Amino acid sequence: MNITRENIDELNAVVKVDIAKEDYAPKVEKILKDYRKNANIPGFRKGHVPMGMVKKQYGQAVLVDEVNKLLQDALNKYLTEEKLDVLGNPIPKEQEDFDWNKEEYSFEFELGLAPEFEVNLDLEKPVTKYNIVADEKMVNTQLESMQKQYGKLISKDEVDDEKDIVAGTFKNEEEGIEKESSVELEKINGKKNLNKFMGSKVGDTIKLKTKNLFKDDHQLIDLLGIDHDKAHDLDIEVEFTISEVNKRELADLDQELFDKLFGKDKVKSVTELKDKIKEDAAKQFEQQSDQQLMNDVTETLIDNTKFELPKEFLQKWIRTVGEKPLTEEEAVEEYEKSEKGLRYQLIEGKIINDNKLEVQFEDLKAFSHEKIKEQMAQFGQMNPSEKELDDIASRILSNQDEVKRLSEQLMNEKLLDFYKENMKFEEKEVTYDEFVKEIYQ
């Protein structure tokens, strides 16, 4: 067997694999002999079928199978030994005059080669790093939410406050709606709708239009018992018969509430409570800030790292790689959609290799422990033992899909830490509302 490579240019090459009879003949002969031993052909005893008949019936199929196996093994070994960084997979070149009746064969494969390039992290225009802080408005909103959660409902005879909570039954016979629900009047949209509730008492029935009834259409899903798609732009009339009117009395901002929220004597004043709310919010916002930073660094590196790709090869490869072959136009469209992602994959791979960023098993185990503790904390299990963590981690890490998912998450964190240490950023402190407005609007 002989393998040669012709470099067309820096990004494209053709590999030729020559296979001689001595490369495949012994294996083919052995398989055909095994077939002969076990073949059941009418008129012949088992093991006594003439070899000529076995070759006539099975010879070419075995030959094709063995040559293809040799070919794939040889090609994979060559790419590994030559340390060729290829994009996609080798594409076999068509041969119009190919003949399996010959004894020697030649196969050619097109290769798309990864480009050589350098990644510059010292950029002229630094990436913005957002530090999201909880403003006074957000802190007070969270404070009131806590007071509501631990407050109590006091029964009333009549609706007279825009913060009242009204229980009752929504009905619309035509749509098959009959649902007992509790409505927080603060979530009602517009004075016109709100005024329909004012002055109403237990036993009264109010007629309401569902369109723009709530500040968020999704409220209709639970209140009317309808599905998500139906809730959007639903425009029907419903009757709401009141069964209860309540006002919510907020819990006092006292030590009893502080202890319920954070444990005994962990917080001792409203000032400390507000500081704790800010601290917890900062941790939550850090995840969003980090995700945005990763997105912005990715876009910036793609824009500032210039290199060519074997475009025509990749479009040809895209045409053949899926379950269903694509047309040329479809392949071009698919390439254009995926080009940015491919560029970042190459940039990311170079950063990882050049800086020896690795995910070791011990790192993965420690990372899985942290993720398990976070999940257990959500269910009130704050101090799991090391044995519990080890047992759960062992089950998770025995699943290859989970190992792959966690490894990708951990490598993503390592990359983000690397960027934070090696790139210059423009720090910008914003409130959450400012962050949302700047990023999404």
Side-chain angles (χ1 to χ4, degrees):
M1 187 183 301
N2 186 42
I3 302 181
T4 55
R5 180 175 84 246
E6 178 189 357
N7 290 330
I8 308 302
D9 54 38
E10 290 183 351
L11 299 173
N12 295 275
V14 173
V15 168
K16 184 179 180 184
V17 183
D18 295 320
I19 297 179
K21 184 176 181 180
E22 56 266 25
D23 296 321
Y24 62 81
K27 184 69 174 173
V28 169
E29 196 67 26
K30 182 180 182 305
I31 291 172
L32 291 175
K33 283 180 180 178
D34 290 340
Y35 273 32
R36 185 184 180 220
K37 289 176 187 176
N38 298 296
N40 287 311
I41 296 178
F44 298 94
R45 284 184 296 140
K46 189 174 181 179
H48 289 77
V49 179
M51 181 55 86
M53 186 175 287
V54 172
K55 285 184 177 180
K56 185 177 181 181
Q57 189 164 352
Y58 302 107
Q60 190 169 80
V62 172
L63 170 68
V64 171
D65 191 43
E66 287 307 308
V67 168
N68 277 324
K69 285 180 185 176
L70 269 175
L71 186 59
Q72 289 304 318
D73 289 346
L75 190 57
N76 290 336
K77 185 179 178 184
Y78 176 80
L79 296 178
T80 302
E81 289 178 348
E82 293 292 310
K83 297 180 180 177
L84 290 178
D85 192 0
V86 297
L87 301 179
N89 292 319
I91 300 175
K93 294 185 75 172
E94 290 185 18
Q95 299 183 60
E96 292 181 6
D97 58 347
F98 189 83
D99 185 359
W100 282 106
N101 292 316
K102 293 181 178 179
E103 293 186 342
E104 295 187 349
Y105 311 106
S106 289
F107 301 90
E108 290 185 337
F109 293 86
E110 296 176 57
L111 302 182
L113 305 177
E116 292 187 9
F117 59 92
E118 295 300 323
V119 181
N120 179 21
L121 299 179
D122 187 15
L123 304 172
E124 273 186 44
K125 185 180 178 184
V127 175
T128 300
K129 184 179 184 295
Y130 293 96
N131 295 322
I132 310 171
V133 296
D135 59 2
E136 199 64 27
K137 178 186 172 186
M138 175 173 279
V139 171
N140 288 334
T141 300
Q142 184 66 21
L143 205 59
E144 186 176 342
S145 176
M146 290 172 171
Q147 288 180 275
K148 283 182 179 180
Q149 183 182 352
Y150 289 94
K152 58 184 177 181
L153 294 178
I154 297 174
S155 181
K156 299 170 62 176
D157 295 325
E158 182 179 326
V159 179
D160 59 8
D161 192 307
E162 293 181 2
K163 291 187 177 182
D164 284 346
I165 299 167
V166 184
T169 303
F170 285 101
K171 281 187 181 180
N172 179 297
E173 288 187 14
E174 190 176 330
E175 295 290 333
I177 294 171
E178 184 169 352
K179 180 78 164 49
E180 291 183 10
S181 299
S182 187
V183 179
E184 295 180 46
L185 295 190
E186 287 179 298
K187 295 179 180 177
I188 293 290
N189 185 44
K191 279 285 183 184
K192 185 178 178 182
N193 287 321
L194 198 55
N195 287 338
K196 291 182 179 180
F197 285 89
M198 289 301 141
S200 58
K201 301 177 181 179
V202 173
D204 287 353
T205 296
I206 305 168
K207 291 186 177 181
L208 301 161
K209 286 280 190 181
T210 57
K211 189 172 179 63
N212 298 322
L213 177 58
F214 294 98
K215 294 171 184 176
D216 182 354
D217 283 344
H218 291 94
Q219 293 285 324
L220 295 171
I221 297 171
D222 291 329
L223 294 178
L224 302 186
I226 58 177
D227 62 35
H228 180 275
D229 292 338
K230 194 171 184 179
H232 285 282
D233 299 320
L234 181 68
D235 189 6
I236 60 172
E237 186 176 78
V238 291
E239 292 183 346
F240 182 68
T241 302
I242 298 173
S243 60
E244 252 181 80
V245 179
N246 296 291
K247 73 172 182 179
R248 191 188 296 278
E249 186 176 274
L250 300 180
D252 291 331
L253 292 171
D254 56 17
Q255 194 60 48
E256 183 182 353
L257 178 62
F258 304 155
D259 290 348
K260 283 178 181 177
L261 290 169
F262 299 107
K264 187 164 177 58
D265 295 332
K266 295 284 178 68
V267 170
K268 294 184 177 180
S269 68
V270 174
T271 301
E272 287 183 18
L273 176 58
K274 287 187 173 183
D275 289 341
K276 189 77 171 75
I277 291 172
K278 287 180 180 178
E279 180 188 327
D280 290 346
K283 289 178 184 175
Q284 180 186 340
F285 293 150
E286 188 177 5
Q287 292 181 350
Q288 288 175 278
S289 176
D290 279 349
Q291 184 56 59
Q292 188 58 43
L293 181 63
M294 192 66 167
N295 293 344
D296 291 342
V297 167
T298 299
E299 290 291 332
T300 301
L301 289 178
I302 291 170
D303 291 341
N304 287 275
T305 310
K306 304 299 182 184
F307 52 81
E308 295 297 319
L309 289 169
K311 182 176 176 180
E312 290 181 7
F313 169 84
L314 288 169
Q315 288 174 359
K316 188 185 291 188
W317 174 67
I318 287 170
R319 286 187 66 183
T320 62
V321 74
E323 291 181 11
K324 181 184 174 184
L326 302 180
T327 64
E328 275 189 47
E329 293 77 13
E330 288 171 333
V332 168
E333 185 181 344
E334 192 62 34
Y335 173 78
E336 287 172 353
K337 286 193 290 187
S338 60
E339 182 184 355
K340 206 176 237 189
L342 174 58
R343 286 184 178 278
Y344 183 66
Q345 274 186 337
L346 292 170
I347 294 167
E348 184 185 80
K350 182 165 181 61
I351 291 171
I352 289 170
N353 290 331
D354 287 355
N355 298 281
K356 297 180 173 54
L357 302 180
E358 296 178 340
V359 173
Q360 303 287 353
F361 180 77
E362 286 306 313
D363 296 333
L364 196 59
K365 184 179 175 183
F367 184 67
S368 66
H369 276 210
E370 289 305 312
K371 293 297 177 186
I372 293 164
K373 282 196 279 190
E374 286 174 14
Q375 288 190 334
M376 294 179 80
Q378 292 175 8
F379 297 97
Q381 294 174 266
M382 306 306 293
N383 295 299
S385 67
E386 280 300 309
K387 185 177 185 310
E388 284 180 293
L389 294 172
D390 280 337
D391 288 346
I392 298 171
S394 293
R395 289 197 297 273
I396 291 171
L397 297 178
S398 66
N399 182 318
Q400 288 304 307
D401 289 337
E402 282 297 305
V403 170
K404 183 173 182 291
R405 184 180 67 83
L406 288 170
S407 296
E408 287 172 354
Q409 284 184 16
L410 181 53
M411 180 53 75
N412 206 52
E413 287 194 8
K414 284 178 176 282
L415 277 165
L416 185 59
D417 289 341
F418 176 80
Y419 294 146
K420 285 179 178 179
E421 290 170 11
N422 293 277
M423 294 180 72
K424 294 174 185 174
F425 299 103
E426 181 185 335
E427 304 266 347
K428 188 171 185 179
E429 187 172 285
V430 291
T431 65
Y432 183 71
D433 287 343
E434 289 169 341
F435 174 75
V436 170
K437 185 176 180 181
E438 190 157 332
I439 298 303
Y440 300 108
Q441 296 178 17

